[in-house]
Each structure stands twice: as C-alpha cells, then as structure tokens.
Amino acid sequence: MQKHEPTSTILDHMDEKTKYLTPIFGTEASDAQMPRLKMNDQPVEPRVAYEMIREYLSIEGNATQNLTTFCQTYMEPMATKIMAEVMEKNAIDKDEYPMTADLENRCVAMLGDLWHANPDEQPMGTSTVGSSEACMLGGLGMLFRWKQLAKDAGIDIYTAQRPNLVISSGYQVCWEKFCRYWDIEMRLVPLDADHLSLNMDTVMDYVDDHTIGITAILGITYTGKYDDVAKLDELVEAYNEKHPKLPIRIHVDGASGAMVAPFVEPDLLWDFKLKNVWSINASGHKYGLVYPGIGWVLWRGKEALPNDLIFWVSYLGGEEATMAINFSRSASQIVGQYYVLMRNGFAGFKEIHERTLDVARYLAAELEEMGLFVLYEDADHIPIVCWGLKDDADVPWTLYDLSDRLRMNGWLVPAYPMPANMQDTVIQRVVARADFSMQLAVKLVEDLKKEVATLNKARFVTGNTQGVINTGFNHGGRFAVNAGDKDQTKAPSSRK
C-alpha cells in the first residue's frame, strides 16, 4: 500500500488561503489545488480538474437571471454541439477551411438581403469578433473614404483641424476608443428629456468639411431607442446637395436593432434602402441569437469600402477578400450564426423576437401599473425596458437600493445614470432575451413588488452600496462612462 505524506506536512507546503483540504469526489486526488499565482507542479486528472473548476464557477450568478447583458445566454443543444465540433478550426485560414469560409460568405449574403443591399452595387462584408470590432471597421471605412475625398477637394488633412465623427452622447464606448486610437474628434450631440435619441433639430450643426461621417444608433444601449435614420438621411441628402465634393455618409450602429428590425418592423426605413447609409454593423451574439464572440459589418458597395482596407488571401485556388482587424480566431461562432439563420429561418426569428417583445412589454405594463416609475422605454423597438423613479414617488429609497434587493433574489437589474446632460437621471434597465420566458418575467415582477414593499417598510435603507464599493457593472465593454456625483455608480461599460 502506498505510504502517504502526513496531512500536517502537506499543509506546511500549501498556500495559506488554500490549505484546507476537501476530499474531491472520493478520489485520491483530494490534495489537488486550483492554481492561483503559478502553475501546478504536477498534472491533475481530467475529471477532477473539470469538477473542481465546475464547482468553483457554480457560485456565480445564473446567466438567465442576468438581465444586464444583451449577449445571448442560451443556444439549442444541437447548435452548441456543432460549434464544439469546429472550435479548433481557425476562421482566418480560408485556404485550409474553405467550407467554413463559404458559410461566412453565406451569412454576409443573408444579412445583406435582410438589410436590402443592392447586388448591383457589389456589397461586401465580414464577420468580426463582436460588434465593437465591426464598429471600428465601419469607422475606418468612413475615415479612409473622407481622407481621399478631402485630398481631392484640396483640404489640408494633416495640419488643419482633426477629422471628426458626429454621434449622439448615448454612444457606446467602442466609438470613443475608435476616435482615440485614430485621433478623431468626437462631436457629441447631447441627449435630453425631449430627445432621448439623436437630435435631428441640431445634428447637422455639428457637421463641417472635416466630418468623416455620422453614426446613427439603432438601439441605444442606455435605453434601446432608435435614432431616426430616415430623417437623418433626408438631412444628409440636403447637406450633400450643397457640398457635392465632400458628401457625408451614415454608418448605422445596429448592434442590437439590426437583427430585430427586419423581422418585427419590416417597413421601418433605416438600412441600405436609404441612399446615404453606406455601412451597417450588428452583433450576432445579441439578437442574432449566438453565444458571445460574433459580429458583422457590411458596406453597401465597393465604393463604400476603400481598397486600402481590403486584404486578399488564398481561397479555393483563387483569392478571397478579408477586412477584419482580428486574425486567428475559432470558426465556431461563424458556424453557430449560420446554424441559427438556417435553423430558424425568417419566420422563426420573427416568432422569437415577437415573443421576447411580448415578455418585455408585459414587464413595462406591470411597472407602469405600480405608479412609482416613469418609463423611458417600454420595448417599443427592441425588448428593452427602462424606468426611473417619478419625482413625486416619495419613497425613502433609490433605484440603487432596489437593484441591490433584486440581486438578493438572483436578478441582475442594473441602476445607472444617463449620459452627459442627463447624468442626474438614474434609471434601471431590463434586457429581455430569448431565454427570458413569461414565467420568469412574472417571477421578476413578484420579486420586484416584494422588494419595493420591503424597502418601503425598512427603517434603514442601505443606500448606494454599488457606489460605495465602486463596482458598477460591466457586460462587454461597450458603454460610455460618464462622470456623475460621488453617490452614483459608473454608467454601464457594455456591446456587451
């Protein structure tokens, strides 16, 4: 029989914080440790490693109850099966994996069809790691195109003022990154209580000869509202008639809405039907119904995508264009996107989104009936509900307190300030997704009413614990962060 080292001796060699041993599933590997600061000296049996990591992760929040994130938290078992089977394939290696490249091209073609691209204009597009990368590519397309037009028009693009991008103050942080990385001035059109999306009365005041383009947002991350892209197109067209040498074009950041609008609002004008919409991005991992890690960007035609952004790789004995910033990555999310497009078809996507909207609208109706809240968004376009406390609510608690109480029930429902010019307005937001069923929404409403009653009866309200410990929330790094007072949390830093 093998002689084991005394437990006291083992403990002497272990990290102070992990020295207390628990027998792991009846194996002799009960002294295996999860490494913290350096690798294990010896291997760990696969089943034990799996169970230890699984157990460690099990105390995290339930993804279905995470109403913070836009990202998909459910896919069908057969979808995850096919994705797992292609995880080792490198999506960028189009010569080695031509069938995967073909599925990517099919996805681009299907999205182009959804967004009314004209085949005669030779639309182009690519998958990306997420819609943040897609935004970067859309922005680069605007920048490179403006540089060429400005040179042709005799404008000094090097020593005069910097190029600028016009966008609402409800932007996602990826746009701030884009402007910082490429030394572009962000011209922010402020939001206010009467203009919770891009203000069409003032937007063109921000445009000049150094404007590379205007970004319209189809689903502002704070509230879910849509910018009026059709009205913006009219304004841009009028501007372009007066400035034929340096016309302005529109990029639509459709991270959320571009995968919802075609199915539930087919008559809404926002896409390539509009003359001045030259590029669109979307998150496949939001309402495109794929797990995190996939985005898309399309340009309406070859004129919209400068040649300097196109690289050519060997593909099926010929050459294939590639535009993405990232290089090596798994093909699994591309295959997953093709699966859900094929599996659901147009009718399936429509049913899923309409059902999700029904759930979100039920929640909005229940909140309104409570009489305490003002609704800033009631799932008019995408399944998002946003609310704030009424000025006359006369309650001794804040939305931060309500967020904390809901967290005790497992629900992650963030509270955060609105962007600049409205930073004194604090709201809460629920993002309904395909796995947020009506039964779960009923349970959320029950818990919400219960916690409101608890807070109303409480002698002591904890206050903004999120602000005290300075955590805020983060689900993907795509929210803009705005400075509020010291009692406010940071604005969400999402696309997630």
Side-chain angles (χ1 to χ4, degrees), residues 400 416-426 482-485 488-489:
Y400 296 112
Y416 54 89
M418 290 285 277
N421 272 29
M422 294 187 68
Q423 60 263 38
D424 293 333
T425 300
V426 176
N482 297 281
D485 63 45
Q488 293 176 325
T489 60

Side-chain angles (χ1 to χ4, degrees), residues 309-486:
L309 294 180
I310 303 174
F311 299 85
W312 297 93
V313 296
S314 178
Y315 171 66
L316 288 177
E319 288 189 316
E320 173 80 2
T322 178
M323 293 78 79
I325 296 174
N326 286 287
F327 202 70
S328 295
R329 57 191 172 94
S330 173
S332 60
Q333 261 66 21
I334 294 173
V335 174
Q337 184 72 83
Y338 185 81
Y339 173 94
V340 296
L341 290 170
M342 175 182 175
R343 163 72 176 87
N344 294 299
F346 189 93
F349 261 87
K350 179 180 175 68
E351 179 187 354
I352 290 169
H353 291 331
E354 287 181 341
R355 185 171 63 243
T356 310
L357 282 166
D358 287 343
V359 172
R361 289 165 182 168
Y362 157 78
L363 174 61
E366 289 288 333
L367 287 164
E368 189 169 32
E369 188 176 323
M370 292 177 68
L372 294 173
F373 306 110
V374 54
L375 288 176
Y376 289 95
E377 178 56 39
D378 57 0
D380 186 36
H381 292 296
I382 55 178
I384 291 181
V385 183
C386 291
W387 67 91
L389 277 172
K390 288 183 175 178
D391 292 337
D392 60 355
D394 192 26
V395 293
W397 46 270
T398 70
L399 293 182
Y400 296 112
D401 301 315
L402 182 55
S403 179
D404 284 344
R405 296 295 307 183
L406 289 172
R407 186 182 289 262
M408 295 178 188
N409 295 271
W411 301 109
L412 298 183
V413 182
Y416 54 89
M418 290 285 277
N421 272 29
M422 294 187 68
Q423 60 263 38
D424 293 333
T425 300
V426 176
I427 62 175
Q428 277 188 285
R429 186 196 71 193
V430 162
V431 179
R433 301 180 305 276
D435 61 334
F436 184 57
S437 65
M438 187 65 78
Q439 291 88 343
L440 290 177
V442 170
K443 175 59 176 169
L444 172 63
V445 169
E446 291 174 352
D447 288 342
L448 194 150
K449 290 179 177 178
K450 176 187 70 176
E451 297 305 339
V452 165
T454 299
L455 289 169
N456 284 337
K457 296 174 183 177
R459 292 186 177 183
F460 174 72
V461 176
T462 58
N464 173 19
T465 58
Q466 289 185 351
V468 170
I469 62 177
N470 194 29
T471 59
F473 80 95
N474 185 304
H475 60 93
R478 301 201 70 235
F479 256 110
V481 175
N482 297 281
D485 63 45
K486 64 181 180 181

Side-chain angles (χ1 to χ4, degrees), residues 55-201:
E55 180 185 47
Y56 185 77
L57 294 174
S58 69
I59 64 172
E60 287 186 328
N62 175 7
T64 301
Q65 287 185 284
N66 180 6
L67 304 181
T68 297
T69 182
F70 285 78
C71 293
Q72 272 305 305
T73 48
Y74 171 79
M75 291 185 76
E76 293 176 337
M78 297 308 293
T80 59
K81 177 177 170 59
I82 189 65
M83 291 171 69
E85 290 174 358
V86 298
M87 284 183 66
E88 79 283 3
K89 294 185 178 182
N90 187 354
I92 200 66
D93 194 346
K94 299 179 187 298
D95 186 52
E96 184 69 19
Y97 306 117
M99 299 302 100
T100 299
D102 181 61
L103 293 188
E104 179 181 11
N105 290 338
R106 293 185 189 200
C107 289
V108 169
M110 285 186 273
L111 292 177
D113 180 65
L114 278 178
W115 300 341
H116 298 103
N118 183 349
D120 293 337
E121 295 185 58
Q122 296 181 278
M124 302 184 73
T126 183
S127 67
T128 57
V129 170
S131 54
S132 292
E133 181 190 357
C135 287
M136 294 281 178
L137 288 167
L140 285 172
M142 289 190 283
L143 175 62
F144 276 58
R145 177 186 160 276
W146 171 81
K147 282 183 176 181
Q148 188 58 57
L149 289 175
K151 287 179 181 178
D152 294 344
I155 293 175
D156 183 355
I157 67 172
Y158 297 109
T159 60
Q161 70 184 71
R162 291 186 297 162
N164 63 77
L165 174 72
V166 176
I167 191 171
S168 86
S169 61
Y171 68 92
Q172 290 115 339
V173 75
C174 63
W175 288 106
E176 185 174 358
K177 290 181 179 180
F178 166 72
C179 289
R180 187 178 299 178
Y181 294 162
W182 278 277
D183 196 25
I184 295 168
E185 176 193 354
M186 285 192 80
R187 292 195 173 172
L188 302 181
V189 184
L191 300 182
D192 58 52
D194 297 322
H195 302 90
L196 293 176
S197 57
L198 188 63
N199 188 340
M200 296 300 156
D201 296 332

Side-chain angles (χ1 to χ4, degrees), residues 248-304:
I248 295 294
R249 305 299 182 189
I250 300 167
H251 173 86
V252 176
D253 181 353
S256 302
M259 292 300 289
V260 177
F263 304 102
V264 300
E265 296 182 89
D267 296 328
L268 182 69
L269 288 175
W270 67 273
D271 58 16
F272 292 128
K273 278 187 176 181
L274 299 173
K275 177 180 177 180
N276 296 293
V277 172
W278 276 34
S279 52
I280 300 171
N281 71 271
S283 286
H285 61 220
K286 293 183 180 176
Y287 290 107
L289 307 182
V290 182
Y291 282 140
I294 185 71
W296 301 92
V297 59
L298 271 67
W299 292 267
R300 72 177 301 129
K302 297 189 72 173
E303 186 182 358

